[in-house]
Amino acid sequence: MTFKAYINIMPQKAILDPQGEAVCNSLNSLDFSINQVRVGKRIELNLNASDVKQAEQLAEKACKKLLVNQIMESYSIEIQKV
Amino acid sequence: MTFKAYINIMPQKAILDPQGEAVCNSLNSLDFSINQVRVGKRIELNLNASDVKQAEQLAEKACKKLLVNQIMESYSIEIQKV
Amino acid sequence: MKTTTTQLIETAKELGLLEEEFHQICKHLDREPNFTELSIYSVMWSEHCAYKNSIQWLKTLPKKGPHMLVEAGEENAGLVDIGDGLGCAFKIESHNHPSALEPYQGAATGVGGINRDIFTMGARPIAQLNSLRFGSLELDKTKHLLKGVVKGIGDYGNAFGVPVVGGEVHFDASYNTNPLVNAMSVGIVKTDKIISATAYGKGNPVFIVGARTGKDGIHGAAFASKDITEDSTDDLPSVQVGDPFMEKLLLEATLELADKDYLIGMQDMGAAGITCSTSEMSAKNGAGMNIYLDKVPTRQKNMQPFEILLSESQERMLVVIKKGFESDLQAIFEKWDLASAQIGEVTDNGTLSYYMNNELAAQVPAESLVLGGGAPVYEREYKEPAYYKQAQDFDSTSIKEPENLKQVAEFLIAHPNIASKKWVYEQYDSMVGTRNMTTNMPSDAGIIDLKENQKALSMTVDCASRYVYLDPEKGAAIAVAEAARNISCSGAIPSAITNCLNFGNPYNPEVYWQFVGSIKGMTKACTSFNTPVTGGNVSFYNQSSIKGEVEAVFPTPTIGMIGVLEEKKLATGLSFKKAGELIYLIGRPADEINGSEYLYSYHKEKLSKTPRFELSEELNVQTTIQKLIRLELVESAHDCADGGLFVSLCEMGFHNNLGFQIELSS
Amino acid sequence: MMLYDLEITNFSSMKFGVVTFPGSNCDTDIQDALHLLDQKVEMLWHKDTDLKDCDAIFIPGGFSYGDYLRSGAIAQFSPIMSSIKAFAQQGGIVMGICNGFQILCESGLLPGTLLHNSNQKFICTNAFIKAEQQNTLLTTESKDVVLKIPIAHAEGRYFIDQKGLEDLKKNDQILFKYCDAKGQINTQNNPNGSIENIAGVCNITKNVFGMMPHPERACDALLKNTDGARILKNLISSVQEIKA
């Protein structure tokens, strides 16, 4: 079966996120009133797995091996059956 | 009240995503078997609004005005009450 | 239901063809064309590929020169002999309209395209320049376009690994909605290793290499309506995306291939993709090709013949090699993780036959498609516009000299067209390749160390488009002269030029008057400087509609020029080196402010004559500078251009923080 | 500035390796710089695993794999990197410049990580740097000397957590810091927001080095700046001593 793994990768709270700050400042200069902005990555994997559990394990392994730099990023995974 | 708006911004389906292809090739060279990878942005807004509906409108306006390049990207919004 | 002739003519018009051109096609085929054939002719006979409204005048430009290896139009880029068995391939091209739609990708794919024109000839690109023109800086739209274009050029060029060594950025209201993005690339090739864009030898295999093909760059109502796939238009990519990483692999793989004797010919895929490369490579030798479109590696599912033929996906090349070396070619591209697929073979009947799953989708004579072959050539009428006379009659002495000259000086030195553009070019890698000799010695031109021999190469890109608006013939001559002046001040001797002719709508007689005037001015100047035109491109329809009225941008014949320094030590900077140096002004100053930034921006006088300009005097000044530099008498040299003498002297002082003292009366 | 002519002989058996990844574009610049300093160079293809018994390995600048996902994230898995990791673990000398530094951090051979510049833009300019200490193969000859070395990167902001920073200081692992022409270290002359102006670090055993500035771009007198030659010569003479 094919599954879609949606991986959200955000900078860890402790790290200065100048991109988030820059976006927040420009939004507020357009008369929005935003308290904080954080910018991260959204990665979509289209993969084959026997069941949801295996799909999740595969996505987890991909994050640890390549997709996420654990020094500075945290991540979450959602799986959807296609 | 404060809300969290989670915005997922992905390249449009038909448009070439060189980054997605590079990540997919790399994962497959590490013995994963991934059909396709698409890489986009995940933006978190922390904003004040009177209710969920207004929070959604604010996030929608932020996407149209600044966050999304509508020629090349598509987006979706999830709102959570903090 | 057989489509009737009237329906076919209707489709032809939707594709941008004239009815009369439809009948010419029928004569070439001696039958009526089908839809795929019509779309082939529509792209090959477009202004962009056939230059139908400009070729007649382009032919009058001087093409001969003492060291021309390849003349304009013969190959993808001009090629100049720079001695010691080396040739220099260089060209400039525009990506104006894609950049107005999506600035980042428009500019990035412009950089990708111009570099492919260089390495398709077997030359390694060693330097890049770019000429950018935007609307006034106060507009948010200008800020958006500027930010996207600069980041697009930087991201693509930096990843591709070729230094940006020169360029210009100008702001004027005439470009408010239609920016000009001209990119130039310069490469070096051994004269015995030049690859030609040709195909010959019946049975020789034809390969497509590099990126996979998608439905990129297929615009226009005619195509959308023809798209019968179920998810219809939402799978038509709105914009082409450049992949600099793929381009770097393609560069290294094709240069490895260029060394092999079994390579016959190669051409990059630019406008009109497979259609253009197959037809131009075949027409050059009277050859033909059988092409099997189903063999083309595609990025999107169930693509139709016309979509594969017309796709303008980036980072692809067409290659013809000798029969029997197929696996050798595939080994090279596998090494660089690139796709390569044989999509057909060369024939000797001069006919292009395109098959889809063994069914003939289109069959056309190659010669009938190409520029110089069957592509139509048109004459356009031209007429002097009213503003020209007003400009000539303007009396600049009527301008009162302001009391506070210090305030005028401060206004000029801070004006966006004059102030330093470091905030732009610091986003480009100008040092990769360790050849750029101006990193620690700013100069009027980019100077590149030719590590292969004792020489160096100077290069610049220039156009004072306001002068060309005021007087096309004189303004275009000044553009060539200013480029030559920059080359001479850097220590080199001007050698040859490429040009990017950005104009409005050719069917408007007043716009075409600007175009014809520019060609005449360029011809005069190139002849006297002995710098032949090696090629380039034409971009029409650069205009914006203000309050419903269409207005052309300033006529902008951007000049890209190269020059040779016989010895590296001749390289000359523009900065004062130490106190006590003597300052000389070479050339007769004219006490006039015609066409100056001061008159135009400070006094808001839009119309005036161009500054005084005498071609013979200019030539004399430049040969003098060249002699002085070779006598090693010159510490630094700088041209007087935008902003005049005052600005030039300031610019000479900045780098080493030095001032100047001059005696105006002398 | 007079070219600092530290005495180096062309030790015939000494050989330097320079790795080429798909997307590297400063590999030939390092080759040219080492040739200017009379050294033998071996270019190493990323798909091979043989280091051709080079005495030291350079991982060059560029955009390996297009810098996609994160600079150096994909290159770390190339076959050559497993040989380089083994070589480094046995004390072999490895130097990563710009993208090379990013690859060494991603592969865990160097501590910390390189983030996007704080102004979110690519920057190419001359930067001034100062050696933090004199006891590594790279910095013995640069006491109280300010060096003008080109930088060219979009992801050059060095980051490490608080504990990691303390370890770097404790073990003397900080190589260079950004400063001004007079050697003052402050935020004005920090080009990318790196923590404490750090421009380069080494590992705890001081045989793996990484720096964002490009010494190979300041080795040719023709380009009127040879401060970079000083750093490379320092490394060459150190390797010579180890080999002797």
Side-chain angles (χ1 to χ4, degrees):
Chain A
M1 287 181 291
T2 43
F3 290 86
K4 269 262 173 88
Y6 298 97
I7 302 164
N8 299 325
I9 305 172
M10 300 304 288
Q12 278 162 10
K13 291 265 183 313
I15 294 187
L16 172 70
D17 174 13
Q19 187 171 15
E21 273 171 32
V23 170
C24 192
N25 297 342
S26 34
L27 278 176
N28 290 338
S29 70
L30 299 167
D31 321 327
F32 286 86
S33 72
I34 313 281
N35 311 329
Q36 195 204 23
V37 174
R38 292 177 66 229
V39 178
K41 279 176 230 161
R42 168 93 167 170
I43 299 185
E44 247 177 60
L45 304 183
N46 178 312
L47 48 86
N48 301 331
S50 44
D51 55 34
V52 173
K53 209 168 161 325
Q54 202 212 2
E56 191 145 281
Q57 274 158 0
L58 263 173
E60 188 73 32
K61 206 169 139 241
C63 287
K64 286 219 162 47
K65 193 85 167 115
L66 174 67
L67 301 180
V68 179
N69 179 330
Q70 319 233 229
I71 297 174
M72 55 179 198
E73 290 169 335
S74 55
Y75 65 96
S76 63
I77 299 175
E78 304 145 41
I79 302 286
Q80 253 177 28
K81 209 179 148 333
V82 166
Chain B
M1 286 182 292
T2 43
F3 291 85
K4 268 260 174 84
Y6 297 96
I7 302 167
N8 299 324
I9 304 173
M10 298 303 289
Q12 283 163 10
K13 193 165 66 63
I15 284 195
L16 172 70
D17 175 11
Q19 180 159 227
E21 278 187 21
V23 171
C24 189
N25 295 341
S26 176
L27 281 175
N28 290 338
S29 72
L30 298 167
D31 312 327
F32 286 84
S33 75
I34 312 280
N35 308 328
Q36 194 199 29
V37 173
R38 292 177 67 231
V39 178
K41 278 178 264 186
R42 167 90 165 176
I43 299 186
E44 254 176 52
L45 303 183
N46 180 311
L47 47 87
N48 302 331
S50 48
D51 55 34
V52 175
K53 209 172 162 327
Q54 201 213 2
E56 190 140 286
Q57 275 157 0
L58 262 174
E60 188 72 31
K61 214 170 127 228
C63 287
K64 288 220 164 39
K65 229 141 179 350
L66 179 72
L67 302 179
V68 178
N69 175 343
Q70 308 222 251
I71 295 177
M72 303 181 54
E73 293 169 335
S74 50
Y75 65 97
S76 63
I77 298 173
E78 303 146 40
I79 302 283
Q80 256 175 26
K81 209 179 146 326
V82 168
Chain C
M1 190 268 295
K2 181 180 163 316
T3 43
T4 64
T5 308
T6 36
Q7 273 172 323
L8 271 177
I9 291 175
E10 208 38 53
T11 310
K13 285 203 186 113
E14 267 175 22
L15 293 171
L17 289 165
L18 306 174
E19 180 163 350
E20 181 245 340
E21 287 171 341
F22 172 79
H23 295 305
Q24 271 178 24
I25 294 168
C26 297
K27 248 197 256 92
H28 283 302
L29 301 177
D30 56 56
R31 60 171 167 77
E32 280 188 344
N34 63 30
F35 174 75
T36 306
E37 286 159 349
L38 257 185
S39 33
I40 287 173
Y41 276 98
S42 75
V43 283
M44 288 306 292
W45 286 8
S46 67
E47 192 60 52
H48 188 66
C49 290
Y51 294 91
K52 18 189 202 191
N53 287 312
S54 55
I55 186 66
Q56 191 218 5
W57 282 97
L58 296 178
K59 283 207 183 102
T60 65
L61 288 167
K63 291 210 278 281
K64 295 267 181 296
H67 17 72
M68 286 302 296
L69 286 169
V70 147
E71 281 191 13
E74 277 172 20
E75 293 295 349
N76 277 294
L79 201 60
V80 169
D81 184 350
I82 50 174
D84 309 308
L86 284 178
C88 172
F90 67 110
K91 188 178 183 186
I92 189 168
E93 265 204 358
S94 63
H95 242 221
N96 308 338
H97 300 110
S99 302
L101 172 68
E102 206 320 274
Y104 180 85
Q105 288 299 345
T109 48
V111 171
I114 191 62
N115 278 295
R116 281 194 300 279
D117 276 344
I118 301 300
F119 66 77
T120 192
M121 295 178 69
R124 177 174 286 279
I126 54 165
Q128 296 184 83
L129 305 94
N130 57 68
S131 166
L132 308 177
R133 280 174 169 74
F134 296 100
S136 57
L137 256 182
E138 287 81 30
L139 302 175
D140 282 347
K141 182 167 173 65
T142 300
K143 291 188 181 115
H144 163 70
L145 290 174
L146 176 63
K147 200 159 181 281
V149 165
V150 169
K151 187 152 176 36
I153 290 174
D155 285 0
Y156 201 102
N158 300 339
F160 183 53
V162 177
V164 173
V165 301
E168 55 175 357
V169 184
H170 284 284
F171 302 97
D172 189 279
S174 93
Y175 305 108
N176 275 351
T177 49
N178 191 126
L180 298 185
V181 177
N182 297 175
M184 175 173 167
S185 179
V186 181
I188 299 294
V189 59
K190 291 198 177 67
T191 41
D192 59 0
K193 282 285 174 210
I194 296 165
I195 306 302
S196 174
T198 183
Y200 54 78
K202 193 170 187 318
N204 283 333
V206 178
F207 275 81
I208 185 167
V209 297
R212 287 177 296 148
T213 299
K215 299 182 181 180
D216 305 284
I218 302 168
H219 308 296
F223 297 115
S225 60
K226 271 294 163 221
D227 194 317
I228 43 169
T229 51
E230 62 304 338
D231 35 27
S232 70
T233 51
D234 89 328
D235 85 340
L236 268 185
S238 50
V239 132
Q240 291 158 46
V241 171
D243 181 353
F245 169 55
M246 174 82 75
E247 178 108 332
K248 171 70 172 171
L249 304 184
L250 197 57
L251 165 70
E252 301 304 338
T254 41
L255 288 186
E256 243 180 77
L257 181 64
D259 233 2
K260 303 289 188 262
D261 301 337
Y262 58 78
L263 175 65
I264 288 180
M266 185 161 64
Q267 169 139 333
D268 70 307
M269 302 263 183
I274 290 176
T275 304
C276 188
S277 46
T278 49
S279 49
E280 285 183 353
M281 285 178 82
S282 304
K284 201 182 277 296
N285 263 303
M289 284 186 190
N290 291 333
I291 299 291
Y292 309 97
L293 296 173
D294 44 290
K295 298 251 183 338
V296 174
T298 55
R299 187 182 86 231
Q300 292 176 274
K301 290 192 290 303
N302 45 55
M303 285 180 67
Q304 297 185 62
F306 80 89
E307 287 171 326
I308 296 173
L309 277 166
L310 268 52
S311 161
E312 291 180 3
S313 296
Q314 301 293 307
E315 289 96 24
R316 297 175 304 154
M317 313 278 275
L318 197 76
V319 177
V320 174
I321 57 169
K322 286 188 185 130
K323 200 161 182 36
F325 291 89
E326 290 81 347
S327 49
D328 303 73
L329 175 139
Q330 268 150 346
I332 292 179
F333 284 87
E334 246 147 54
K335 170 189 170 186
W336 290 98
D337 302 323
L338 285 172
S340 64
Q342 181 177 346
I343 58 169
E345 70 275 340
V346 179
T347 64
D348 54 13
N349 56 20
T351 304
L352 296 166
S353 308
Y354 299 103
Y355 297 90
M356 188 67 170
N357 304 323
N358 292 326
E359 241 190 273
L360 188 60
Q363 190 160 61
V364 287
E367 184 63 19
S368 71
L369 292 170
V370 296
L371 165 68
V377 175
Y378 296 132
E379 270 203 35
R380 295 259 72 81
E381 35 128 9
Y382 50 93
K383 153 161 94 53
E384 179 183 299
Y387 80 78
Y388 179 64
K389 183 135 186 7
Q390 281 172 347
Q392 297 313 309
D393 296 345
F394 176 76
D395 168 14
S396 64
T397 55
S398 65
I399 299 292
K400 204 161 66 47
E401 190 182 300
E403 293 80 25
N404 184 342
L405 288 179
K406 184 167 178 302
Q407 191 258 341
V408 173
E410 277 156 6
F411 169 86
L412 274 179
I413 211 76
H415 190 279
N417 281 341
I418 288 177
S420 158
K421 305 294 187 305
K422 192 171 182 183
W423 54 285
V424 169
Y425 64 72
E426 247 187 3
Q427 298 181 55
Y428 306 142
D429 188 341
S430 57
M431 306 180 199
V432 59
T434 59
R435 286 175 182 271
N436 186 358
M437 294 171 67
T438 62
T439 303
N440 299 302
M441 179 188 80
S443 169
D444 275 358
I447 308 173
I448 294 298
D449 167 21
L450 289 179
K451 294 182 178 177
E452 297 80 356
N453 62 16
Q454 288 317 315
K455 295 183 175 147
L457 210 55
S458 266
M459 49 201 70
T460 184
V461 65
D462 282 285
C463 183
S465 44
R466 198 172 59 242
Y467 298 163
V468 184
Y469 174 72
L470 296 175
D471 181 338
E473 199 163 323
K474 192 167 276 186
I478 291 175
V480 175
E482 259 178 21
R485 208 180 306 148
N486 287 331
I487 297 285
S488 303
C489 288
S490 74
I493 310 281
S495 175
I497 75 162
T498 178
N499 62 63
C500 186
L501 306 177
N502 307 277
F503 289 82
N505 180 344
Y507 289 84
N508 170 342
E510 293 184 359
V511 166
Y512 209 74
W513 172 81
Q514 293 174 334
F515 176 75
V516 171
S518 300
I519 297 283
K520 287 180 180 162
M522 278 170 61
T523 300
K524 270 206 208 103
C526 288
T527 311
S528 58
F529 284 110
N530 203 0
T531 51
V533 178
T534 63
N537 98 326
V538 174
S539 169
F540 279 132
Y541 305 104
N542 294 289
Q543 57 210 20
S544 26
S545 53
I546 300 155
K547 304 188 206 65
E549 207 220 285
V550 173
E551 237 192 273
V553 298
F554 274 167
T556 310
T558 310
I559 304 297
M561 183 181 281
I562 61 158
V564 180
L565 293 91
E566 320 85 78
E567 285 167 86
K568 301 180 205 281
K569 66 178 169 65
L570 291 170
T572 309
L574 62 84
S575 315
F576 299 138
K577 290 182 181 154
K578 51 185 175 358
E581 288 172 344
L582 306 178
I583 302 174
Y584 286 85
L585 178 61
I586 313 274
R588 194 161 53 82
D591 191 4
E592 48 127 21
I593 51 168
N594 279 317
S596 63
E597 189 73 43
Y598 163 65
L599 182 64
Y600 182 80
S601 303
Y602 186 79
H603 290 289
K604 304 276 185 290
E605 281 296 342
K606 300 298 178 210
L607 293 175
S608 74
K609 286 196 274 292
T610 63
R612 194 185 60 75
F613 173 72
E614 278 309 320
L615 205 45
S616 53
E617 206 178 299
E618 180 72 36
L619 197 57
N620 189 3
V621 166
Q622 291 194 26
T623 33
T624 310
I625 292 284
Q626 290 160 13
K627 279 204 198 82
L628 289 171
I629 289 175
R630 275 147 188 77
L631 293 168
E632 295 182 45
L633 296 171
V634 173
E635 289 298 319
S636 57
H638 188 27
D639 74 325
C640 290
D642 299 345
L645 181 60
F646 168 71
V647 168
S648 298
L649 287 165
C650 292
E651 285 167 346
M652 295 180 87
F654 289 148
H655 187 64
N656 295 320
N657 229 335
L658 295 169
F660 55 84
Q661 196 186 331
I662 52 167
E663 189 45 56
L664 276 181
S665 57
S666 64
Chain D
M1 184 70 179
M2 195 271 300
L3 170 65
Y4 181 84
D5 55 2
L6 177 74
E7 193 39 51
I8 51 161
T9 54
N10 175 6
F11 215 53
S12 59
S13 70
M14 210 154 66
K15 198 163 63 166
F16 290 87
V18 179
V19 180
T20 300
F21 290 99
S24 299
N25 49 38
C26 303
D27 44 348
T28 46
D29 295 0
I30 295 177
Q31 183 182 30
D32 290 346
L34 289 171
H35 282 156
L36 272 176
L37 301 172
D38 306 323
Q39 299 305 310
K40 266 222 243 40
V41 182
E42 193 73 59
M43 300 308 277
L44 306 172
W45 178 240
H46 78 107
K47 283 185 181 170
D48 301 337
T49 52
D50 174 8
L51 298 185
K52 300 177 181 165
D53 53 59
C54 291
D55 299 292
I57 307 288
F58 280 91
I59 305 183
F63 287 67
S64 55
Y65 292 93
D67 265 8
Y68 289 134
L69 189 64
R70 296 182 307 275
S71 299
I74 299 175
Q76 66 177 305
F77 297 112
S78 284
I80 195 107
M81 281 309 292
S82 43
S83 314
I84 288 176
K85 273 184 194 157
F87 177 73
Q89 259 119 32
Q90 297 141 20
I93 294 159
V94 180
M95 176 149 179
I97 295 173
C98 197
N99 190 221
F101 184 18
Q102 295 157 343
I103 294 170
L104 290 175
C105 289
E106 280 282 337
S107 52
L109 282 172
L110 281 178
T113 183
L114 280 310
L115 305 177
H116 277 277
N117 299 344
S118 37
N119 69 359
Q120 301 302 304
K121 288 194 173 77
F122 183 92
I123 176 154
C124 172
T125 185
N126 282 324
F128 290 101
I129 58 172
K130 211 165 80 163
E132 187 66 0
Q133 30 71 8
Q134 270 66 55
N135 45 38
T136 71
L137 308 181
L138 225 50
T139 54
T140 47
E141 304 300 331
S142 44
K143 181 147 186 37
D144 302 333
V145 166
V146 174
L147 299 170
K148 183 169 82 171
I149 307 290
I151 58 170
H153 54 247
E155 295 179 52
R157 177 159 63 95
Y158 184 71
F159 172 79
I160 192 163
D161 56 24
Q162 217 33 43
K163 183 174 172 320
L165 183 59
E166 274 135 31
D167 291 347
L168 287 182
K169 291 179 183 172
K170 189 157 53 65
N171 308 320
D172 238 352
Q173 287 176 251
I174 298 175
L175 293 175
F176 296 102
K177 287 195 173 185
Y178 298 112
C179 59
D180 65 15
K182 296 183 195 55
Q184 300 304 322
I185 295 173
N186 51 44
T187 43
Q188 283 79 15
N189 44 56
N190 182 338
N192 48 34
S194 291
I195 195 162
E196 292 199 6
N197 285 38
I198 292 175
V201 299
C202 61
N203 65 349
I204 196 153
T205 48
K206 294 195 171 54
N207 64 309
V208 176
F209 306 93
M211 62 191 291
M212 284 311 290
H214 288 263
E216 80 281 5
R217 292 185 178 192
C219 285
D220 185 347
L222 193 68
L223 307 183
K224 296 191 176 5
N225 179 10
T226 53
D227 284 6
R230 186 188 190 108
I231 296 175
L232 295 185
K233 279 185 176 182
N234 204 151
L235 177 67
I236 291 165
S237 66
S238 306
V239 171
Q240 229 168 22
E241 269 150 39
I242 296 168
K243 249 182 102 67

